[in-house]
Amino acid sequence: MLTLSFILLFNSNIYGQRDTIVVQVFTFDDPSPEGWNQHYTGKAMFPMGPLKFEKILMVRTLKCDSATRGDKYPCGEWDYLTHTLIYKPKGDTVEAFQLGSFVTPYGKRLKLGGEKGWTWIYDVTDYAPLLRGEVDISSGNNQELLDLKFLLIPGTPTRNVLSVENLYPFGTYKYGELADDSVLQARKILLRPDAAGMMLRARISGHGHSGPRNCCEWDSKTHTYYINDWEHFRWNVWTDCGFNPIYPQGGTWPFDRAGWCPGTKVDEYDFELAGIVQPGDTMLINYGIEQYSDNGEKDGEFRMSHQLFYYGPPSFNLDARIEDIIAPNAKDSYGRVNPICSNPRIVIRNTGKHTLKTLDITYGLVDGGQEYYQWNGQLEFMEQEEVYLPTPSWKGLPDSKTFLVEISSPNGSTDEYPANNVMTSIVKTPEKLPSKFILHILSNDFGRAIDNSYTITDECGAILYERAIFEDSTTYNDTIVLVDGCYEFRLIDRMEDGMIRHWWNYYDNPDEVGINGKIEIHSLEGEVLRPFYYDFGQELLYRFRIGPVE
């Protein structure tokens, strides 16, 4: 059932060309677990020895298949919370550490990437002390087939992770008990004297339908960490779901929720303790949540993991890392914002001790011309920023499909760790349309058409066509005439429920279900060139080109 060894592979997408150790835990060939919402369980063998890893990535791929045992659908019909847990001996029992949490998508009629499945990647480098030797592990459930592996990228970590602790036991807690402080009470922790840095991590998701606002799935609440009786960290657990890359789904997938969306990871919140406590201190820490109203909402639930990480000092004084390429990128997770033929989007991080103020960025198609951009800003240690780069030459597409980004010269000096300075991505070419076409839109009814508007812009962002107002149950055939170039069609729904009929009224208010909208691109002769999903959530984004790629 499990692969208990590790192998080497060649991975060119993550920080250039380096051998990566792969620990395979589960594959699609493993039988789907028996029983309601049962998870995959087994053992994995991680390397011991003196090896150091710059990054450890957990790669989870889910696949719809008739072999799943959750229900009668290839992907389970409902959204269920799942966890990836490892179990470590503690006295005469075991302690569970959560590596990540995930909510399955609504699976009815869902494709989920077809035969290859859909992949989510978690950075679990901070759990390195726990990922050694033989490890008991559980993950997922029986709604989809699961392939789970860990990629261990050799190199020098940004800072060594000394140890990991659970601040409170991982589990499910009633809102009322949390607010009344009958659980997760204040506790004193003697901090490691040899730690140069410390960080808190909270992973929280709300569930249940209690009270008038259906707490705690559909209700935003404020959470707080108090340290030595002072409020230091306060945040709201709330997630925007309308631009979910897995769409359309069944169910109410576009609507915002407390810390999660159907088909996404549960949100994580990290808080550095630098300047707040010192190594060797006794820290009094307390978790708090806003008080409930006397309306039944206290019976809602939160599922939580609270962890404390200890680190050594930064490995480098001056180092920057290319963290991700958002666009151009053929990854399913970035499908909503790709393809592009304008500004690339990347993420950089300061992984050096000194404040990062300038950075040189070289980028472009591997077989094409390279562009140069100097970033200016201010990033402290471990802070990151999303950067929009000027539009490069895309000449060479679709023959050249590899995009490369390289960073260098942080603060005008030598980068002390160039191994994390290069990243590549696969480029999807924007679809080509004729210079004249018809934008065909059928609007919703029941007063919902007013929620919609659209624009067509050029690569400089100038609006060339727009329709700000729609009338109910009306068909629009707008003639679009464009010259050669790159363009963006953006259709917005202000209520973030797309143009799907309100099917949830079917039983209680069948007269208020309404009609589905329609969005298509037609040729002048009426041929459908490009249909779009009407169940698109908050917006529909489509980049296209007229003429050749330049």
Side-chain angles (χ1 to χ4, degrees):
M1 179 177 179
L2 299 174
T3 302
L4 299 181
S5 60
F6 54 92
I7 61 176
L8 296 177
L9 64 72
F10 184 78
N11 188 320
S12 63
N13 186 53
I14 303 171
Y15 310 141
Q17 300 177 355
R18 281 186 280 166
D19 288 334
T20 295
I21 295 176
V22 179
V23 177
Q24 186 75 51
V25 185
F26 305 113
T27 74
F28 291 150
D29 293 329
D30 291 326
S32 181
E34 294 275 7
W36 181 82
N37 202 30
Q38 289 298 302
H39 46 251
Y40 289 81
T41 60
K43 298 181 184 294
M45 183 64 74
F46 290 87
M48 295 289 286
L51 290 174
K52 287 189 175 182
F53 301 103
E54 178 187 332
K55 260 183 179 284
I56 303 177
L57 303 177
M58 181 173 73
V59 182
R60 298 182 74 253
T61 303
L62 300 182
K63 177 184 174 184
C64 299
D65 194 280
S66 58
T68 58
R69 294 171 175 167
D71 54 30
K72 64 181 180 180
Y73 298 102
C75 266
E77 180 176 9
W78 292 99
D79 52 334
Y80 284 103
L81 179 65
T82 68
H83 312 280
T84 300
L85 302 171
I86 58 175
Y87 304 90
K88 308 298 287 187
K90 185 177 183 180
D92 58 357
T93 183
V94 295
E95 182 177 12
F97 290 86
Q98 187 188 61
L99 303 185
S101 190
F102 176 83
V103 180
T104 62
Y106 288 103
K108 204 172 180 180
R109 297 182 294 275
L110 188 66
K111 296 179 180 178
L112 201 62
E115 281 300 308
K116 66 182 178 64
W118 195 290
T119 296
W120 291 263
I121 299 176
Y122 301 68
D123 186 340
V124 294
T125 310
D126 288 330
Y127 299 95
L130 304 177
L131 301 176
R132 295 173 58 83
E134 186 176 270
V135 175
D136 292 318
I137 189 167
S138 65
S139 187
N141 67 5
N142 55 10
Q143 293 211 135
E144 298 87 16
L145 297 185
L146 171 65
D147 182 282
L148 176 67
K149 63 174 67 75
F150 292 83
L151 307 184
L152 291 79
I153 303 168
T156 304
T158 300
R159 50 183 175 176
N160 287 317
V161 188
L162 304 179
S163 59
V164 187
E165 296 179 9
N166 284 321
L167 287 174
Y168 301 104
F170 160 74
T172 300
Y173 300 93
K174 289 284 189 181
Y175 176 30
E177 295 175 347
L178 291 167
D180 291 339
D181 204 28
S182 59
V183 294
L184 305 195
Q185 297 171 340
R187 55 171 299 209
K188 291 182 178 181
I189 300 175
L190 179 60
L191 302 174
R192 287 183 61 142
D194 59 343
M198 289 159 278
M199 185 186 75
L200 302 175
R201 173 170 294 159
R203 196 179 291 112
I204 300 174
S205 58
H207 304 274
H209 299 83
S210 299
R213 295 175 59 87
N214 292 311
C215 189
C216 293
E217 177 176 340
W218 305 96
D219 201 358
S220 173
K221 299 297 181 184
T222 301
H223 304 250
T224 306
Y225 279 138
Y226 299 91
I227 298 174
N228 297 330
D229 293 325
W230 289 88
E231 176 190 311
H232 279 280
F233 304 110
R234 177 178 287 250
W235 70 101
N236 285 336
V237 173
W238 195 243
T239 305
D240 183 354
C241 296
F243 210 47
N244 192 329
I246 300 180
Y247 84 104
Q249 300 180 34
T252 53
W253 68 268
F255 299 122
D256 301 349
R257 289 167 164 86
W260 61 277
C261 305
T264 69
K265 306 174 190 176
V266 172
D267 294 341
E268 295 178 353
Y269 305 86
D270 290 348
F271 306 101
E272 297 281 347
L273 294 177
I276 298 174
V277 295
Q278 298 297 321
D281 283 354
T282 296
M283 177 178 70
L284 177 66
I285 187 164
N286 194 13
Y287 161 83
I289 190 170
E290 69 177 83
Q291 276 298 320
Y292 54 83
S293 299
D294 188 18
N295 57 12
E297 67 176 1
K298 68 178 182 178
D299 293 325
E301 294 180 341
F302 288 96
R303 300 182 192 182
M304 299 183 168
S305 170
H306 299 271
Q307 296 166 334
L308 171 63
F309 298 84
Y310 293 96
Y311 303 98
S315 299
F316 310 102
N317 289 317
L318 201 56
D319 179 49
R321 181 167 75 203
I322 172 72
E323 194 77 7
D324 203 358
I325 299 173
I326 297 174
N329 202 319
K331 285 183 182 177
D332 290 334
S333 55
Y334 292 139
R336 284 277 206 161
V337 295
N338 281 281
I340 66 166
C341 49
S342 55
N343 303 85
R345 293 168 59 186
I346 67 171
V347 180
I348 60 172
R349 185 187 291 272
N350 180 19
T351 44
K353 179 180 178 180
H354 298 325
T355 302
L356 183 65
K357 296 181 178 180
T358 65
L359 189 66
D360 292 346
I361 304 174
T362 305
Y363 61 99
L365 295 174
V366 167
D367 297 325
Q370 298 293 296
E371 306 288 339
Y372 167 80
Y373 176 75
Q374 185 178 74
W375 170 87
N376 294 274
Q378 183 158 325
L379 292 177
E380 302 302 328
F381 179 60
M382 294 306 292
E383 290 183 345
Q384 67 179 41
E385 181 177 315
E386 184 176 315
V387 179
Y388 283 76
L389 300 171
T391 302
S393 169
W394 296 107
K395 192 171 183 179
L397 283 175
D399 296 327
S400 175
K401 293 190 175 182
T402 302
F403 182 78
L404 181 143
V405 179
E406 182 172 5
I407 58 177
S408 60
S409 303
N411 295 348
S413 299
T414 301
D415 191 307
E416 296 177 22
Y417 190 66
N420 58 11
N421 288 1
V422 178
M423 183 175 285
T424 62
S425 64
I426 303 301
V427 183
K428 292 178 65 176
T429 306
E431 293 179 345
K432 182 179 179 180
L433 294 179
S435 60
K436 297 180 181 180
F437 60 85
I438 303 296
L439 181 56
H440 174 83
I441 298 178
L442 169 64
S443 61
N444 286 123
D445 50 2
F446 289 113
R448 293 180 58 207
I450 198 173
D451 297 336
N452 300 122
S453 63
Y454 82 77
T455 59
I456 295 178
T457 56
D458 64 17
E459 58 187 279
C460 296
I463 297 176
L464 306 179
Y465 292 90
E466 66 178 325
R467 184 174 289 279
I469 298 175
F470 285 86
E471 301 292 334
D472 276 7
S473 305
T474 302
T475 298
Y476 296 86
N477 288 294
D478 294 344
T479 301
I480 309 298
V481 181
L482 300 168
V483 299
D484 287 1
C486 265
Y487 301 92
E488 177 182 282
F489 166 58
R490 186 186 298 263
L491 176 64
I492 293 174
D493 187 275
R494 295 174 184 84
M495 294 301 292
E496 300 191 5
D497 59 355
M499 296 175 69
I500 189 173
R501 62 181 184 167
H502 282 177
W503 53 265
W504 47 88
N505 290 324
Y506 183 80
Y507 292 104
D508 295 334
N509 301 290
D511 294 336
E512 298 178 11
V513 171
I515 61 172
N516 290 322
K518 181 184 288 187
I519 314 106
E520 295 175 341
I521 291 176
H522 292 180
S523 69
L524 297 183
E525 294 74 32
E527 178 187 1
V528 177
L529 302 177
R530 183 61 159 86
F532 298 97
Y533 294 120
Y534 48 75
D535 186 12
F536 57 81
Q538 69 186 37
E539 72 176 47
L540 182 65
L541 187 61
Y542 174 64
R543 276 72 174 259
F544 62 95
R545 61 188 172 96
I546 308 294
V549 177
E550 297 293 344

